[in-house]
Amino acid sequence: MSFFTFKKTKTPVITSFRSALFALTFFRKSLSIAGFITAVAVPCFASDFSASFTPSSANTEASDAQLTKAKLMIGQKMMLDFRYFCQDDTLSKQCRTPVTSMPQPLLNLLSSENIGGVILFSENIHSAKQLVTMNYELQANMRQAGKEALFIAVDQEGGRVARLPTTILPAFAGNLAIGASAHQHGNAFASNIGEHIGRTLLPLGINTNFAPSVDINSEPNNPVINVRSFGESPEQTAELGEAFVSAMQKAGVLSALKHFPGHGDTRVDSHSGLPRVDHSLKQAQSGDLLPFANIINSDTPPAMVMSAHIQYPSLDNTTIKNKQGELQIVPATLSKRILTDMLRNRLGFDGLIVTDALDMAGISQFFTQEEAVMMAFDAGADIALMPYTIRNPRDIEAFKAMLNSLARRTVKDKQKMERLTASHQRVLRMKLHHQLGRYVSKPMSWWLNEAQANTGKATPRSDKVIPKSKGKSAGYLEENANALYLKGKQIEKALSESSVTLLFGKNKLPVKAVKWVALMPDAARCLALEDAVLAVDTNAQYACLPLIELPNKGLVSRLIKQSDALIVGDITPLHANYELGGLDQASQLANRASGAQLNAFGAYVMKLARSQGKTVIFAAMRMPYTAKAAMDYADIGIATYDYAVTVLPESKQSNASQDNSLEKSALIEINSDEPGPRVSSQSLKTLMKVLSGKLVPKGKSPVSWQQ
């Protein structure tokens, strides 16, 4: 049996596997083995320090010039985050001032240290205009200093990992929903969403997207991947991932596949610990590694591949000493066997290898910042993502000191210098090939007009670009001007409606109910479901109990007696506090119910409602695995794969505050004299369409939820 089966080749690309030597046995299209080995010997492009470098001997002190060149090359291999920055003496851990425009100290740091890129988070993004202005300033700063253009990156996977506001870019339902639609629509949604994300990000000045995730979700309790995965099929994941990568990169935005060699079968979140995958070598070959191998071998390979902070003993069981002096299996991010021997040499990846964020606990709790960077570079990483937390001027100086130390250690070692030079040249080749510097070749007004035209809010155009004399439609962003954003909303709706899956209870549809009672994970989901209920029936009566804290059982019993149907919304694994929507009371969050408590309470309420002859609906809003247990208590099970809500700026009077036969004391706290917030959810609108008979669910679960 061959190692991998690549769909675009008639014979296996990899035909043998020797774990000890990781022998190179592939030929990749136009790239021969000899060509690959010599590919690092390329001419320099723009920076004088990219020329060949002869390190000093171990017994000779490096010259200042040598150290400077090494340091500048190392700087190109750094990608920093500036989520917060305080220019005063605020302690780094206490600084919470979002960076929405670049302070001069940060601009100086980027240019003086020749930093290669930055990653943006939601804290950095307020509006399209603000984002374009900041990114343009970043690139102009580097050009004025005579330095390389920056990788400006973001995590915009879609679904639960989406950094941009939904007024700029719809979040869509995410990869698992795409997987649920694939049996009927093939790669259509992967391609359309990848293209739409790329076309939206590029005018904003974002040239790199850490997406898609092609992890195979084979663990029901995976806390970090779950709906970010296309599903449990390696072959389908490869096809959908390839379509996403191809479409987004054709739109001009670089893709980073993640998380190599596969984060899907883990129960630990690498943000808080170090997960371990105990798959055999055979399982790894036919499962986790296959999507990466196929996409790398496709006509449009990804520009980058991101490493995972996981232990994978069948791929590398080497033990290393951590900062506590204990031996542990090397994480993939720091493994030469995984990053160089496997990814670079065996799979033939000739793009950039980027680490996952090095400040995550999977690395930071075991290794110092400097050691983590040094080991990642030794393992074969081209870019260290978030290697040092910079929140104040003192952090800047400490980071510079780390760069100096890394340079001194590197020039003393011939192999380190050879790796640094080759890696630095790969970075420059990638930037030159994708022309990252072209962003500042046009005036900022050009990008402001284009970016604002793509958002959901009509904004006057600049008369300097399109005179108003040519007509109202030319002068203002109305009707056709924000067509791209409107198309995105259409794709979002279509994906939700194409992926929603009836898990059980077909004969119970449609549900004939006027009085609805719901148990939802939090207040935001309660309000969003109300919006969805009223969208299908303006005469409906509705009450909802948010489950941040477990409600009084007597109150629940009285509500069920007054209702026609019960909806229980489930988010498993439990969503984080920052995903709640900000509508729950802080005092309740301190005593938030656990997942086990919610499961037990939900089962109790569903049994109670069924015993009274009520129609019981179980809505799996995240992973569908929990529907197996719910089959014993519910009449209908539906999977949406999405639980995103949007708190809209306008307000409306909640129907929950009206005087009807449902007990008012059970409702979310909304003052009857004041309108409550308007909260909307495409997935919950889709759910109610299915329950009311307005939509036939055609999705198919991409994971085996009944096993």
Side-chain angles (χ1 to χ4, degrees):
M1 180 177 177
S2 63
F3 185 5
F4 297 114
T5 300
F6 295 89
K7 68 175 186 175
K8 289 187 177 292
T9 57
K10 296 181 180 179
T11 58
V13 172
I14 297 180
T15 57
S16 66
F17 188 90
R18 297 194 296 275
S19 59
L21 299 177
F22 292 86
L24 185 67
T25 59
F26 65 90
F27 287 86
R28 181 177 169 221
K29 294 196 166 84
S30 62
L31 181 65
S32 68
I33 294 177
F36 174 80
I37 293 174
T38 59
V40 296
V42 298
C44 59
F45 293 106
S47 304
D48 57 358
F49 49 85
S50 65
S52 61
F53 185 96
T54 303
S56 59
S57 67
N59 298 321
T60 305
E61 196 67 29
S63 68
D64 290 342
Q66 290 173 322
L67 287 171
T68 297
K69 287 187 176 182
K71 182 181 176 183
L72 291 174
M73 285 194 283
I74 291 171
Q76 269 297 292
K77 287 162 59 65
M78 298 284 177
M79 186 175 287
L80 305 178
D81 77 295
F82 300 132
R83 201 179 308 201
Y84 309 108
F85 188 75
C86 297
Q87 299 198 55
D88 55 17
D89 293 328
T90 301
L91 295 177
S92 182
K93 292 183 179 179
Q94 296 176 0
C95 177
R96 286 296 180 271
T97 302
V99 175
T100 54
S101 62
M102 283 293 154
Q104 194 60 47
L106 296 182
L107 292 173
N108 294 341
L109 169 67
L110 291 169
S111 56
S112 68
E113 306 308 308
N114 195 42
I115 301 303
V118 298
I119 178 173
L120 305 180
F121 287 89
S122 56
E123 292 85 352
N124 302 120
I125 303 169
H126 174 67
S127 67
K129 180 179 180 181
Q130 166 268 325
L131 188 55
V132 169
T133 302
M134 182 177 68
N135 288 339
Y136 198 92
E137 183 180 28
L138 282 168
Q139 297 290 26
N141 174 69
M142 299 303 285
R143 171 169 285 194
Q144 290 167 7
K147 300 298 173 66
E148 302 292 336
L150 295 163
F151 293 116
I152 299 181
V154 72
D155 289 298
Q156 188 71 26
E157 300 174 17
R160 64 179 293 262
V161 178
R163 308 301 188 202
L164 273 70
T166 55
T167 53
I168 298 178
L169 178 61
F172 306 109
N175 286 356
L176 202 65
I178 294 175
S181 73
H183 72 289
Q184 188 174 18
H185 298 284
N187 299 338
F189 282 107
S191 293
N192 276 277
I193 291 172
E195 178 188 12
H196 189 85
I197 290 175
R199 289 182 62 191
T200 302
L201 293 184
L202 190 64
L204 295 169
I206 298 172
N207 53 43
T208 304
N209 188 15
F210 292 134
S213 166
V214 291
D215 305 284
I216 308 300
N217 199 89
S218 52
E219 168 52 59
N221 296 312
N222 191 317
V224 66
I225 301 300
N226 50 79
V227 289
R228 299 167 66 188
S229 167
F230 288 111
E232 66 186 15
S233 165
E235 292 78 13
Q236 178 170 290
T237 296
E239 292 179 5
L240 296 175
E242 179 184 334
F244 191 108
V245 169
S246 175
M248 187 169 66
Q249 292 196 155
K250 286 178 181 177
V253 172
L254 283 64
S255 170
L257 282 187
K258 57 188 186 185
H259 307 80
F260 188 83
H263 206 315
D265 193 7
T266 60
R267 292 194 177 194
V268 175
D269 186 343
S270 51
H271 292 84
S272 57
L274 182 58
R276 172 172 168 151
V277 177
D278 285 315
H279 288 181
S280 67
L281 181 58
K282 184 178 180 180
Q283 286 177 303
Q285 294 167 359
S286 61
D288 289 329
L289 294 174
L290 188 144
F292 292 98
N294 280 16
I295 298 171
I296 288 168
N297 188 63
S298 71
D299 292 335
T300 53
M304 301 182 187
V305 170
M306 176 181 282
S307 68
H309 301 331
I310 59 172
Q311 295 172 323
Y312 212 125
S314 67
L315 299 181
D316 189 357
N317 62 0
T318 303
T319 57
I320 58 175
K321 189 174 291 187
N322 60 32
K323 64 184 180 183
Q324 287 82 26
E326 302 167 341
L327 288 176
Q328 66 172 66
I329 293 176
V330 62
T333 294
L334 310 181
S335 167
K336 184 175 183 294
R337 288 185 180 180
I338 292 175
L339 297 190
T340 296
D341 297 341
M342 170 62 71
L343 177 57
R344 182 71 71 200
N345 295 339
R346 247 192 112 58
L347 270 60
F349 180 61
D350 58 2
L352 301 181
I353 300 174
V354 56
T355 72
D356 205 343
L358 293 176
D359 67 349
M360 292 163 58
I363 296 295
S364 64
Q365 71 180 3
F366 300 108
F367 307 97
T368 66
Q369 293 160 315
E370 182 176 328
E371 287 303 319
V373 173
M374 193 80 265
M375 286 189 285
F377 288 168
D378 287 344
D382 297 299
I383 297 175
L385 177 63
M386 298 167 63
Y388 202 97
T389 302
I390 297 174
R391 299 291 181 262
N392 59 34
R394 283 177 292 180
D395 291 335
I396 292 177
E397 297 308 312
F399 173 66
K400 290 181 178 179
M402 186 182 82
L403 291 180
N404 287 328
S405 179
L406 289 168
R408 285 193 297 270
R409 294 173 63 178
T410 301
V411 297
K412 292 179 180 180
D413 187 304
K414 181 179 179 181
Q415 289 185 335
K416 289 183 188 295
M417 272 309 309
E418 289 174 347
R419 281 193 295 267
L420 173 60
T421 302
S423 177
H424 176 250
Q425 291 173 346
R426 276 194 295 271
V427 171
L428 295 186
R429 285 200 304 270
M430 187 66 70
K431 290 185 174 184
L432 181 68
H433 178 73
H434 291 278
Q435 303 178 52
L436 301 191
R438 64 186 173 181
Y439 194 70
V440 289
S441 298
K442 295 180 179 179
M444 185 167 63
S445 59
W446 175 286
W447 298 114
L448 284 171
N449 286 324
E450 185 168 342
Q452 289 173 358
N454 293 343
T455 66
K457 188 175 182 180
T459 306
R461 282 189 183 234
S462 168
D463 292 345
K464 295 179 181 179
V465 180
I466 301 178
K468 290 183 181 180
S469 60
K470 292 188 177 182
K472 181 178 180 180
S473 62
Y476 292 88
L477 300 186
E478 297 175 356
E479 300 176 355
N480 297 331
N482 57 359
L484 181 63
Y485 179 82
L486 294 177
K487 180 181 178 182
K489 296 298 291 182
Q490 292 169 353
I491 296 172
E492 179 183 46
K493 180 175 180 286
L495 174 59
S496 179
E497 295 185 354
S498 297
S499 61
V500 64
T501 304
L502 179 66
L503 301 175
F504 59 87
K506 181 178 180 180
N507 62 330
K508 298 290 185 177
L509 290 174
V511 177
K512 302 297 183 181
V514 175
K515 298 178 181 179
W516 298 84
V517 63
L519 299 180
M520 297 299 284
D522 53 52
R525 254 53 50 168
C526 272
L527 289 170
L529 182 57
E530 178 195 24
D531 183 69
V533 168
L534 296 178
V536 298
D537 183 4
T538 57
N539 296 316
Q541 298 177 21
Y542 172 81
C544 184
L545 294 167
L547 297 178
I548 294 298
E549 288 184 315
L550 298 183
N552 178 274
K553 288 184 177 181
L555 178 60
V556 173
S557 178
R558 292 194 298 272
L559 277 170
I560 289 175
K561 286 180 181 179
Q562 299 175 45
S563 69
D564 301 321
L566 167 71
I567 300 176
V568 176
D570 174 78
I571 298 178
T572 299
L574 197 62
H575 57 320
N577 283 358
Y578 66 82
E579 297 179 282
L580 295 177
L583 300 179
D584 298 280
Q585 296 180 358
S587 59
Q588 294 176 318
L589 297 180
N591 300 309
R592 188 177 178 188
S594 68
Q597 289 174 318
L598 293 176
N599 291 338
F601 188 80
Y604 162 78
V605 175
M606 286 189 287
K607 285 190 287 185
L608 178 64
R610 178 176 268 188
S611 71
Q612 297 181 21
K614 313 297 183 181
T615 302
V616 179
I617 301 105
F618 181 80
M621 301 165 66
R622 195 170 194 173
M623 298 302 289
Y625 299 110
T626 48
K628 180 179 180 180
M631 292 179 73
D632 294 333
Y633 321 117
D635 300 298
I636 301 167
I638 296 176
T640 67
Y641 315 105
D642 179 34
Y643 53 92
V645 297
T646 300
V647 181
L648 304 175
E650 65 268 23
S651 298
K652 72 168 193 146
Q653 182 70 32
S654 170
N655 192 60
S657 65
Q658 297 175 5
D659 187 11
N660 56 46
S661 59
L662 288 174
E663 187 167 321
K664 291 197 294 180
S665 62
L667 308 178
I668 302 171
E669 294 185 4
I670 299 176
N671 190 303
S672 60
D673 296 326
E674 297 179 7
R678 171 83 187 276
V679 185
S680 181
S681 166
Q682 180 59 58
S683 64
L684 291 179
K685 287 181 179 178
T686 300
L687 171 68
M688 288 309 303
K689 283 186 178 181
V690 171
L691 294 179
S692 64
K694 298 180 183 296
L695 177 69
V696 176
K698 295 182 179 180
K700 180 181 179 182
S701 175
V703 295
S704 302
W705 62 275
Q706 289 182 284
Q707 292 182 0

